Amino acid sequence: MQRAADVAGAGTRPPKRQGGDPKAGARPAQPSNRARARVKGHTGDPLASTASPDFAPDVYILRVRLEETGEVFRVANCRNDMTVRELKEELDLMVGIPFNLQRLHFLDQGTLMDDATLKFYDVIPGAVISLCIWHYDGWTELVLAAVEGDPSKMSCLGISEDTYYRTANSQHFKGEQWRQWTAQRAFVALYISAHRGHVDAVQYLLELGANCLAKSPLGRTPLHVVAAMGRTDCIQPLLEHGASIHDKDLKNDTPVTIARRLKRGNLERKLFLLYWMIKSGNRNPNLAGRDASEKSTRGL
């Protein structure tokens, strides 16, 4: 099976048929016989007692392991006809790793292609899918530093224009190309730090110049992942640097609608309260809360 190309830039949206045959309509390679045998219980795999994909429930749970850290995330509402791309879109919010930096693996089938379905790869309820970070251009080191929330490590990994950090890809960049490269890395560091709730790191990156209005390839801002994870402490610094609760991603979701969908009522209220405090310049939370309530009831 041809592996997904690792040349997609961190700031661009991956092509629809990432890693697929360049000829239109070409069918992806079939999963290996060994993988099928493991899923069906021919090698004593502990997953053998679980029903095969053909008899899987309509909606089920998967576990995703971030290999670089060992963290395991529980992903609900998975389906047989769910594509790998759709799963990665969910992981963008749940794990905080931008869509274009994700590499998914299941058993020994190599990198999973975006257009293929979970059923195509014989993924079964309760299975564990491996999530890895693309290693090109020094992304792995930066992602791990952001997961830790360590400003000293991030500062050495190309997040500002005056950095001495270089990769094989960036060593010849100059001018605007260099500014865009460092700005993209600062944004990714901010995105992940905000997702993990590292307030000090978020404040550091914002003061360094990281753009909280920039968007991931799925159109999401750091405030989207803050809303998804309920990181209330990270709301105010983002809003004070210009973040908006009304920015929409490619699915037309705002941070507020994500908080509502995930039943994070306290965070939704705090988003409105702090937003109107900052917009109005009023530091009285009671008055700001009243204004926010009036605006929200009028359908803003």
Side-chain angles (χ1 to χ4, degrees):
M1 179 189 303
Q2 184 175 356
R3 292 178 176 271
D6 62 356
V7 295
T12 59
R13 185 178 178 179
K16 186 176 180 182
R17 291 190 56 81
Q18 187 178 19
D21 193 309
K23 298 179 181 179
R27 178 177 173 79
Q30 293 289 341
S32 67
N33 292 332
R34 180 184 171 193
R36 292 184 181 277
R38 290 181 65 182
V39 172
K40 294 177 182 178
H42 291 278
T43 61
D45 194 290
L47 296 178
S49 60
T50 310
S52 72
D54 292 331
F55 300 100
D58 294 335
V59 178
Y60 53 86
I61 294 171
L62 291 177
R63 289 170 293 164
V64 175
R65 176 185 171 89
L66 181 56
E67 294 298 331
E68 282 77 6
T69 66
E71 299 166 293
V72 177
F73 299 84
R74 183 175 176 272
V75 186
N77 300 321
C78 297
R79 313 175 313 276
N80 265 340
D81 61 352
M82 188 181 200
T83 64
V84 172
R85 179 185 176 87
E86 289 173 331
L87 176 58
K88 289 166 73 173
E89 289 173 356
E90 287 296 312
L91 295 175
D92 186 287
L93 280 180
M94 296 187 62
V95 185
I97 306 299
F99 170 88
N100 55 311
L101 298 181
Q102 298 178 27
R103 243 182 340 128
L104 297 185
H105 299 267
F106 180 59
L107 301 179
D108 58 354
Q109 301 180 74
T111 299
L112 308 188
M113 293 182 294
D114 285 354
D115 289 345
T117 63
L118 298 183
K119 183 177 180 180
F120 174 78
Y121 288 109
D122 290 337
V123 177
I124 57 179
V128 178
I129 291 180
S130 295
L131 167 60
C132 301
I133 303 162
W134 284 109
H135 295 300
Y136 70 94
D137 221 13
W139 283 113
T140 303
E141 294 80 5
L142 181 60
V143 168
L144 292 177
V147 166
E148 294 176 18
D150 190 333
S152 62
K153 289 183 179 179
M154 289 186 280
S155 65
C156 302
L157 293 170
I159 60 173
S160 61
E161 293 181 38
D162 58 355
T163 182
Y164 291 103
Y165 180 80
R166 296 292 189 278
T167 65
N169 176 50
S170 68
Q171 60 182 336
H172 302 298
F173 289 171
K174 295 181 180 179
E176 183 59 26
Q177 194 174 22
W178 172 251
R179 284 190 288 273
Q180 290 180 1
W181 188 79
T182 56
Q184 178 62 25
R185 295 177 72 82
F187 167 76
V188 169
L190 178 62
Y191 194 83
I192 298 171
S193 296
H195 176 274
R196 299 306 174 102
H198 298 309
V199 183
D200 292 341
V202 167
Q203 191 68 47
Y204 167 79
L205 290 164
L206 290 170
E207 292 174 357
L208 192 67
N211 185 5
C212 62
L213 291 174
K215 295 187 174 183
S216 73
L218 297 177
R220 290 168 179 159
T221 66
L223 202 56
H224 280 87
V225 291
V226 164
M229 299 305 295
R231 307 298 190 186
T232 55
D233 291 344
C234 293
I235 296 175
Q236 187 161 342
L238 289 170
L239 291 178
E240 287 177 342
H241 282 78
S244 172
I245 64 174
H246 302 303
D247 277 338
K248 294 182 178 179
D249 63 14
L250 297 185
K251 292 186 174 182
N252 288 322
D253 282 331
T254 67
V256 173
T257 57
I258 286 177
R260 185 175 302 139
R261 172 162 59 87
L262 297 177
K263 296 179 172 57
R264 302 194 184 279
N266 289 336
L267 184 136
E268 183 182 353
R269 287 189 290 273
K270 189 167 184 177
L271 277 171
F272 272 112
L273 175 63
L274 291 176
Y275 179 75
W276 286 107
M277 282 177 62
I278 293 167
K279 291 288 286 186
S280 65
N282 188 345
R283 295 297 174 176
N284 185 329
N286 293 324
L287 294 178
R290 184 184 65 188
D291 292 342
S293 177
E294 291 173 355
K295 293 290 187 181
S296 63
T297 55
R298 292 203 297 266
L300 182 63

